[in-house]
Each structure stands twice: as structure tokens, then as C-alpha cells.
Amino acid sequence: MLRAAAGLACRARSNTKLPQICASAARGYAAESAPEQDTTPPITVHGISGRYASALYTSAAKAGKLEKVQEELVEVYNLTGDSPEFEQFLYDPSIPKNKKVPALHAILDKMEVSDVTRHFLEVLARNNRLKHLLSISDLYDDLVAASKGEVLAKITTALELEPEELEDIKAGLSKPCAHILK
């Protein structure tokens, strides 16, 4: 059946005076490919920061570097706290992109970040979105945590808990959530 379809395709092309490339268009069965890794973000995040965080998650998941990228984003953000000049450089929209991108590239080379992180931060610089780095990083952390099955639980009390009470709460949470409790 495939050969018949290939023959029809070749005849159709010959009527349109295109070069004949269909000498042997029949295809054999290929070996089954390995199942693709799911790189879709585990939760939906919204807004500009959400779109960039989702894109970074997909890119890092394809490269198998979710945790490494997460650590590198923390390093870059910590550098902004350590160096007011670097923070001003990142967040100042008046610095032209043609100067900001090469300078950022040089800084990231010295930090020895992965290609995923480097390309992502360069895209942020080109699109003048570096001001969203903190919120993108926070959302990326949420995506990585969700991919591991972690759920953030925040307990608010009127009074400070005694150590025994805190241990009781942890023990109560650990029974149904033993595999993810930190």
C-alpha cells in the first residue's frame, strides 16, 4: 500500500515538472523509538514571568538540568545582592542591549553557568526582561518543586509553637506525605 501511495506521489510530481526524487519512496519499518521524556511544566503559571519560567523549565528538562539551573539562578540572584553595581546593570533599561548582552555573557562565563542558564539570561537581556528575574526564579522553583511532587505547606499560628507541638505537626504530615516531607 505504501508503494502504491509513493508511486502516486511520484506521478503527481512529474505532472508539475518538479525533479524526480521518488526513485524509492517506500519506507521500511523503523525500530521503536525510546519514549520521550515529559518536559511540559507540571503546573500552569501565568503572566510574563510565568511564560519565561515555563520556557526555562522546558529547556532545562530537555537538557536534564532542572536542579543545576535552579542553583545557578540562585547564584545570579545572590550576586545582585552582593554587588549593587551588578544589580543596577541588570535592571537598568537604559543600557543598550548591544552592550548588556556581551557584558552579561562575560560575567556568566566567569561564573561557569550551564548553556541553558546562559541562553536564558541572554534572552531576558535581549527582551529587556531582566527586571523580572526574581519572579521568574520563584516561579521556576515552584515548577521544579511540583515536578518532584513537593507541596508547600505554610502553618500560621497565633502563638509560637513549642518544639513538641511542631514535632507533632511534622509527624501528622509525614504519615500521608512521608516521601516528600522535608
Side-chain angles (χ1 to χ4, degrees):
M1 184 158 195
L2 261 172
R3 289 186 192 273
L8 288 173
C10 285
R11 278 186 237 126
R13 276 199 195 143
S14 66
N15 292 340
T16 60
K17 300 195 192 263
L18 291 176
Q20 290 274 341
I21 304 175
C22 302
S24 176
R27 181 182 150 198
Y29 291 105
E32 187 173 328
S33 64
E36 287 189 27
Q37 180 184 2
D38 185 22
T39 59
T40 57
I43 57 175
T44 304
V45 288
H46 301 283
I48 291 172
S49 298
R51 284 193 301 256
Y52 280 98
S54 294
L56 178 60
Y57 177 88
T58 301
S59 214
K62 285 182 181 177
K65 297 182 179 183
L66 287 173
E67 288 82 18
K68 182 163 178 53
V69 170
Q70 189 175 25
E71 292 166 5
E72 291 170 347
L73 285 178
V74 169
E75 285 179 40
V76 171
Y77 186 72
N78 287 342
L79 187 59
T80 63
D82 295 344
S83 171
E85 296 85 16
F86 180 65
E87 181 178 23
Q88 183 180 2
F89 167 76
L90 280 184
Y91 299 143
D92 187 357
S94 67
I95 299 174
K97 297 172 195 174
N98 61 354
K99 291 183 181 178
K100 189 177 276 193
V101 172
L104 182 63
H105 190 72
I107 292 167
L108 296 175
D109 279 343
K110 287 183 182 177
M111 293 178 68
E112 297 179 357
V113 298
S114 67
D115 287 341
V116 174
T117 305
R118 172 181 286 105
H119 294 306
F120 178 72
L121 291 172
E122 287 174 0
V123 166
L124 288 181
R126 282 189 195 101
N127 295 339
N128 202 17
R129 301 286 192 211
L130 284 169
K131 62 186 172 196
H132 298 285
L133 183 60
L134 177 60
S135 59
I136 292 169
S137 181
D138 288 343
L139 290 172
Y140 181 78
D141 289 345
D142 294 345
L143 291 170
V144 172
S147 73
K148 295 177 185 177
E150 297 175 356
V151 177
L152 178 65
K154 183 176 182 180
I155 299 172
T156 306
T157 62
L159 301 171
E160 187 174 340
L161 295 175
E162 297 294 324
E164 316 73 63
E165 294 172 320
L166 187 57
E167 289 303 316
D168 288 343
I169 292 172
K170 284 184 180 181
L173 287 174
S174 67
K175 290 175 188 168
C177 307
H179 65 288
I180 60 173
L181 188 62
K182 287 187 175 182

